[in-house]
Each structure stands twice: as structure tokens, then as C-alpha cells.
């Protein structure tokens, strides 16, 4: 955050939102944190304004929605260009995320989903056409996430 640090109440709010932002009201979070509903609303507004909370989105199960293949593509780009390439990579059909890596030769991790190999192959080709080297491709069996446990003060 800009000038303020995240305290235990902010951490509890973040944990609750990560666990179930859609179904928890500010009153529910207030009860968990032992604060007033208005305090939770103000804290959320500050966390959003400071860029700690970047947005709210659906956690889509790609396999259940018809895209059973998840491929990780480890790529190498010039250090000077790698950050600038991210928006173009995200625009490739099937790409769902790009991570900029700071150690190792491979410095971009691209995640793509598809129905079949024929959906993933064009992603790799477009990366090559952009001047990236695709060093490795890894097929993912499953991918699960959880709220950051350090934010759980309860």
C-alpha cells in the first residue's frame, strides 16, 4: 500500500475476500474481525484505492467449462523486452496468464488452456513468432489455489 501498512484487520479482510468475496457481506466480515460494518467497508475502499485489491473475478474451473488441457510454457525473452511483451502474450487466444520470472534462463511463464493439443500448438507458434524461445512445455494435471494463510488471523 502507499503510505500505510497492512494490519491484522486488513489481513483478515483480505483472507475473507479471497475465500469467498461473492457471498460474504461487509457485515459478515465485520463479525469475523470484531469491527464495525462501516470500518470494513472503509478498509476495503482503502485497499482497493491503494491497489492491494486489484479487482474481483470468477474462479473458473477450465476443465469443467470444456477446456481440459492446461499447459505451462516456459519462455525466454530478452530482458529489455519481456515486460513489454506481456500484453501481447495475454492477447493470444487461449492464454490465461503470464508470469515474469526473475531467476533462471526462462524468464516468462505462460499458461494456456484448450480443448485439445490443436488449441495449444498455435499458442506456442505465436510465442515463437513474437521472437520468444519456448524452452519447455509442461502439461498440468490439476491446479488448485487457496487464500494466503498469513492473512487468516482468526
Amino acid at each position: 500500500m502507499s503510505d500505510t501498512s497492512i494490519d491484522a484487520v486488513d489481513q483478515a479482510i483480505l483472507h475473507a475476500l479471497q475465500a469467498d468475496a461473492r457471498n460474504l457481506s461487509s457485515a459478515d466480515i465485520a463479525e469475523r474481525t470484531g469491527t464495525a460494518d462501516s470500518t470494513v467497508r472503509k478498509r476495503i475502499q482503502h485497499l482497493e484505492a491503494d491497489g492491494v485489491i486489484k479487482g474481483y473475478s470468477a474462479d473458473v474451473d477450465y476443465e469443467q467449462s470444456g477446456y481440459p488441457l492446461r499447459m505451462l510454457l516456459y519462455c525466454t525473452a530478452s530482458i529489455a523486452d519481456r515486460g513489454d511483451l506481456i500484453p501481447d502474450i495475454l492477447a493470444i487466444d487461449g492464454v490465461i496468464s503470464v508470469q515474469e520470472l526473475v531467476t533462471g534462463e526462462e524468464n516468462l511463464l505462460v499458461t494456456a488452456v484448450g480443448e485439445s493439443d490443436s488449441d495449444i500448438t498455435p499458442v506456442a507458434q505465436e510465442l515463437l513468432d513474437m521472437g520468444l524461445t519456448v524452452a519447455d512445455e509442461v502439461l498440468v494435471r490439476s491446479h488448485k489455489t487457496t487464500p494466503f494463510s498469513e492473512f487468516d488471523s482468526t
Side-chain angles (χ1 to χ4, degrees), residues 36-100:
D37 184 14
S38 61
T39 300
V40 170
R41 287 193 310 272
K42 287 178 186 173
R43 294 284 188 114
I44 290 172
Q45 288 173 348
H46 287 295
L47 291 166
E48 290 171 343
D50 289 343
V52 174
I53 297 174
K54 299 187 305 183
Y56 302 89
S57 61
D59 183 12
V60 176
D61 184 322
Y62 290 102
E63 185 173 355
Q64 291 291 351
S65 62
Y67 300 94
L69 292 182
R70 179 183 293 256
M71 182 72 70
L72 304 178
L73 299 111
Y74 290 89
C75 302
T76 304
S78 74
I79 293 172
D81 294 336
R82 70 179 174 200
D84 295 335
L85 291 170
I86 293 173
D88 294 331
I89 297 169
L90 287 169
I92 298 171
D93 193 33
V95 171
I96 60 169
S97 76
V98 179
Q99 296 176 53
E100 189 174 356

Side-chain angles (χ1 to χ4, degrees), residues 84-120:
D84 295 335
L85 291 170
I86 293 173
D88 294 331
I89 297 169
L90 287 169
I92 298 171
D93 193 33
V95 171
I96 60 169
S97 76
V98 179
Q99 296 176 53
E100 189 174 356
L101 310 175
V102 295
T103 60
E105 186 176 329
E106 292 83 31
N107 53 20
L108 291 171
L109 174 57
V110 178
T111 304
V113 296
E115 292 181 72
S116 66
D117 289 339
S118 62
D119 295 327
I120 302 294

Side-chain angles (χ1 to χ4, degrees), residues 1-7 10 46-47 49-52:
M1 290 176 23
S2 58
D3 295 340
T4 59
S5 61
I6 295 178
D7 64 13
D10 290 332
H46 287 295
L47 291 166
D50 289 343
V52 174

